[in-house]
Amino acid sequence: MTTKKGNLYLIPCPMGDVPALAVLPITVKTSIEKIDHYIVEHEKNARRFIKSIVPEKQQSTLKIQEINKFTLEEEISPMLNPCLDGFDVGVISDAGCPGIADPGARAVHYAHEKGIKVVPLVGPSSILLAMMASGFNGQNFAFNGYLPIDKGERKAELKRLEKLSKDFDQSQLFIETPYRNNQMLQSLTENLSAQTKICVACDITLPSEFIKTAPAELWKKIKVDLHKRPTLFIIQG
């Protein structure tokens, strides 16, 4: 008799220190209640999140495997073996939705190869929430991850993205290491055309949330401290 495969659940979590169920639907709680196998970015953070959602769940029953940028490719496929044995597995990122700018995407890749059903659960995505609040073209946008650190290379990349945005009416999103956010905003104001619009979306869903869209020339006059605060930058030519 063939064992029915378990599903791979993509479980979102809050993007900061807020009550989990204030930003997550009840389906996240009901999924965690029934799942004991997890693939996570950091075990300590995942255990804390699970405990906050389902405090009565016994931590000793959890079987947790970590996946990050250092995980070897040959180590990922076996993480899905519980699914092949009929158990559901949950994927949890450190913040927001797993699989989006997140190493959990590698586990999802192998799930499809193995014929395992992938179930994405609704939750906060900083990329989509920033786009929603920006006022930019939500029908044509691109997420570019991190830009080059070298000033010359960064300037060239910003000019390239600005041209793409103008030529194709395409919003361009990117992020920076939080302790370099202020330098990134300065780079934008120094290298983009005066009328190119910039959206800065910081601390999304948190009490300290800050989201503002304005032309590059106006951002030179706006005083905001983005240091060590999770931030998304969007430009629209």
Side-chain angles (χ1 to χ4, degrees), residues 23-195:
V23 294
L24 299 173
I26 196 66
T27 50
V28 171
K29 182 177 187 294
T30 55
S31 297
I32 290 176
E33 284 174 343
K34 69 177 183 177
I35 297 174
D36 288 330
H37 296 264
Y38 292 92
I39 299 170
V40 307
E41 197 168 357
H42 290 102
E43 180 172 352
K44 184 177 180 180
N45 293 344
R47 286 185 178 276
R48 186 185 305 116
F49 167 61
I50 291 170
K51 187 174 182 62
S52 72
I53 293 283
V54 187
E56 67 275 14
K57 194 174 185 73
Q58 294 296 315
Q59 291 280 318
S60 59
T61 67
L62 302 179
K63 301 168 183 64
I64 295 179
Q65 303 176 85
E66 288 191 344
I67 185 170
N68 53 52
K69 63 182 180 180
F70 302 110
T71 306
L72 299 177
E73 209 63 33
E74 59 266 25
E75 295 175 329
I76 300 173
S77 183
M79 293 182 181
L80 297 166
N81 286 344
C83 285
L84 302 182
D85 294 331
F87 297 99
D88 291 331
V89 173
V91 178
I92 301 176
S93 177
D94 270 357
C97 295
I100 306 296
D102 170 74
R106 299 164 72 192
V108 177
H109 168 81
Y110 284 105
H112 286 294
E113 281 196 351
K114 294 173 176 288
I116 295 167
K117 182 179 179 180
V118 177
V119 183
L121 301 182
V122 174
S125 164
S126 60
I127 295 172
L128 292 180
L129 291 172
M131 274 303 306
M132 288 166 60
S134 69
F136 293 161
N137 186 2
Q139 297 194 67
N140 187 10
F141 59 91
F143 177 64
N144 299 277
Y146 293 93
L147 302 192
I149 296 176
D150 178 81
K151 286 187 177 181
E153 293 177 0
R154 170 171 291 184
K155 178 179 179 179
E157 180 65 2
L158 285 174
K159 290 294 187 183
R160 186 185 75 84
L161 294 177
E162 184 180 41
K163 187 175 188 305
L164 272 176
S165 180
K166 290 179 178 178
D167 290 349
F168 299 100
D169 190 22
Q170 184 180 66
S171 308
Q172 301 293 331
L173 300 87
F174 43 89
I175 53 177
E176 179 55 283
T177 302
Y179 63 82
R180 288 201 295 261
N181 280 333
N182 289 330
Q183 293 92 321
M184 168 61 83
L185 183 55
Q186 183 178 350
S187 293
L188 296 178
T189 60
E190 290 176 350
N191 294 301
L192 297 178
S193 301
Q195 294 307 311

